Amino acid sequence: SLAHSFEETVTKFGSNNFIYFENEKWTYNQTNEAANVLANKLFNDGVKHGDRVVLFMENRPNYIISILALNKIGAIGVLINTSLTGNPLIHCINSSDSKKCIVGAELADPLEEVLSEINIADKTDIYWVADGNKYRCPDWSLDLKNTL
């Protein structure tokens, strides 16, 4: 699996840089540690092998970390096109039969617009991931800041 292959690579190249994004550099070790923390959080919150979790986030380090975390627990990442809004977004989320949602701060507005129509509406099932300091966590989601 992706998680096993990544773990093997971490063993060999842990201190090497893995992600270069804007002004950030993440080593294999840092990325793996963050993915393990998120995987544990998701698992402790009830996500199990085979469960689906929506990932609605632009490409950035936390996107990769989220994919790795989901793979580590055997959950299925439902990758949603970031340009979707309204009915197409509702359809993609509801047809995925997902248990939870990880949303990037940059896409919280389109998600908020459809909250009343999606099948993931409980605050404890929607995880918000910051994108710099320009957004605040909405009250309908859980901030993963202290997790990641």
Side-chain angles (χ1 to χ4, degrees), residues 77 110 112 118-119 127 142:
E112 184 171 21
I118 63 171
N119 56 8
Y127 302 101
L142 294 176

Side-chain angles (χ1 to χ4, degrees), residues 28-95:
Y28 284 91
N29 283 332
Q30 290 169 320
T31 305
N32 191 50
E33 182 179 328
N36 287 340
V37 169
L38 180 56
N40 284 324
K41 167 74 173 152
L42 293 168
F43 185 80
N44 290 335
D45 287 353
V47 178
K48 305 287 186 247
H49 182 87
D51 286 343
R52 291 173 180 82
V53 176
V54 166
L55 182 55
F56 192 45
M57 183 185 305
E58 298 284 346
N59 292 336
R60 54 190 172 104
N62 285 315
Y63 184 85
I64 301 299
I65 290 164
S66 297
I67 290 172
L68 288 168
L70 292 167
N71 197 270
K72 285 174 179 277
I73 56 177
I76 301 161
V78 178
L79 312 179
I80 303 289
N81 182 326
T82 58
S83 66
L84 293 181
T85 60
N87 286 332
L89 180 57
I90 294 166
H91 172 75
C92 283
I93 292 172
N94 288 345
S95 66

